[in-house]
Every structure is written in C-alpha cells, then in structure tokens.
Amino acid sequence: RQMCIRDRNYNVDTFEDSKWFGMTHNVLLGRSDEYSDRKGFTNATAEGLNNYKSPTDSSYIRFGTQGDGSPDVGMNRIANTRNEAWNQGSYAVYQGTWLDDRITVVAGKRRDRNDNHVLTVGIENPASSSDVDRDPQTKETSQLGISLKLTREISVFALEADGLVPNFEGLRDGNGQPIDATLAKSKELSLIHI
C-alpha cells in the first residue's frame, strides 16, 4: 500500500501574559492519498473431485492425506484477482486550550473520496471472469471533544467521533460488487484520576 500525507500545522497564542485568559490555538490542515494494489488467486479441486474427512473421525487432520489414508486430490488455480483501491482525504483539526489549560477542545472535519476496482479472471471457466468498477463514494466524518480539569488530579472528558475504513481488501457483496467503506462511530465519556 502506498500513502502520501501532506499537512501543515498553525499555532497561535493569545493573551499570553494572562493566566486565566491566555489561550492556545492549533489548527492542522492536510490531505492524504492512499493507493492499494492487491493481487490474489483462488485454488480449488478439479470439478467433481473433493478432499474429505469424516466429521466423526477424531484423529488429527493431516495435510496431504484424506481421512481414508489416500492422498489429497490436487488443487488447481481457478481464478486470478486484482483489487485496486484509492482513498483521498482532506481534513482540518482545531485544538484549543483556555482558562489556564483547564479546558481543552478538539474539533475536526474530514472529507474522503473512495474508489475500488476488482478484476477477476476465470482460468478454468473464462465466462466467470468479471471486471467491476464501483462508483466513487464521498463521505464526511467529524470529531468533537472537550476535556475539563476539575482539579490537578481529576479531569473529565467527552468525545464523539466517526471515521472511515476504506475497502482496501477488495471485499465484495453477494452480487460481486465491491463493498463501500465502513463508517465507524464512537462516543466516549470518562473521568480520569492521575
């Protein structure tokens, strides 16, 4: 997998001489590009043949030997697969602290564009070949969190965030179409004692 990340961080402090009104602001702007090119294959026994071990046979499974002691039936390559996946994301994240670093806020937004192409070439049965391009999909995700220092030893924080997991594995649905990226959601609330 290839990845390229370009980002820039900006930091601004305001009211630096004031303990209670001093604020720190950090802004991160960036873009990431990921590309995956996976090649795979499928092997199977020839049509009408199979390897067998009785479910009631409690002896160890031995590779290369069937349950009756005869040699395994050979496996043949039946298909080659190539999956190409792309993910491009642009993001902005803000982190700020206020009131003598007692309050910290983190907020971010990300926009992703995903694309997936799966090519399967049937070797034994060329009619089973497929070449599928999924329409590109665009999704936006975000995060918002706040931390409050109640005392030097005790803090409370809350965070709500979601994120995207692209389909770099070339997983397909029952119709042979590449599945969409997975959207993960998280909500957290915590009390921390140091």
Side-chain angles (χ1 to χ4, degrees):
R1 187 183 304 181
Q2 300 168 6
M3 178 186 284
C4 179
I5 298 175
R6 298 164 306 281
D7 56 31
R8 178 81 67 192
N9 190 26
Y10 300 95
N11 182 338
V12 176
D13 295 331
T14 55
F15 304 109
E16 296 172 43
D17 296 331
S18 173
K19 177 179 179 179
W20 293 104
F21 294 110
M23 295 180 270
T24 300
H25 308 279
N26 290 295
V27 176
L28 176 69
L29 302 173
R31 177 160 174 87
S32 67
D33 294 285
E34 289 182 80
Y35 171 73
S36 173
D37 187 359
R38 292 184 53 136
K39 296 173 181 71
F41 57 87
T42 305
N43 288 341
T45 59
E47 191 172 331
L49 299 175
N50 57 47
N51 292 310
Y52 176 78
K53 179 169 172 41
S54 172
T56 61
D57 182 352
S58 61
S59 65
Y60 291 107
I61 296 174
R62 295 166 296 172
F63 291 98
T65 305
Q66 296 199 51
D68 63 3
S70 64
D72 276 347
V73 176
M75 304 286 277
N76 300 319
R77 173 103 18 116
I78 61 168
N80 289 317
T81 305
R82 179 178 185 190
N83 173 60
E84 290 182 283
W86 299 266
N87 181 61
Q88 297 93 29
S90 299
Y91 52 90
V93 180
Y94 168 80
Q95 179 176 346
T97 59
W98 296 278
L99 300 176
D100 194 28
D101 292 339
R102 290 182 182 267
I103 297 175
T104 302
V105 172
V106 176
K109 196 82 163 161
R110 182 177 171 105
R111 181 180 177 91
D112 282 278
R113 183 177 186 276
N114 294 280
D115 201 356
N116 205 298
H117 173 240
V118 179
L119 171 66
T120 302
V121 177
I123 296 171
E124 282 191 354
N125 180 7
S128 69
S129 297
S130 63
D131 191 358
V132 181
D133 264 319
R134 185 191 65 211
D135 291 334
Q137 61 177 180
T138 301
K139 290 190 179 182
E140 289 188 6
T141 56
S142 61
Q143 70 176 16
L144 179 60
I146 187 166
S147 173
L148 175 62
K149 234 186 240 186
L150 301 175
T151 68
R152 287 183 185 159
E153 296 84 22
I154 299 174
S155 295
V156 61
F157 81 88
L159 174 71
E160 183 171 3
D162 39 58
L164 206 63
V165 181
N167 177 15
F168 283 121
E169 308 304 314
L171 301 174
R172 293 177 279 175
D173 63 18
N175 296 318
Q177 300 295 316
I179 63 171
D180 290 346
T182 303
L183 186 63
K185 294 184 176 266
S186 171
K187 290 183 181 181
E188 301 175 36
L189 184 61
S190 182
L191 181 66
I192 301 171
H193 183 268
I194 301 173

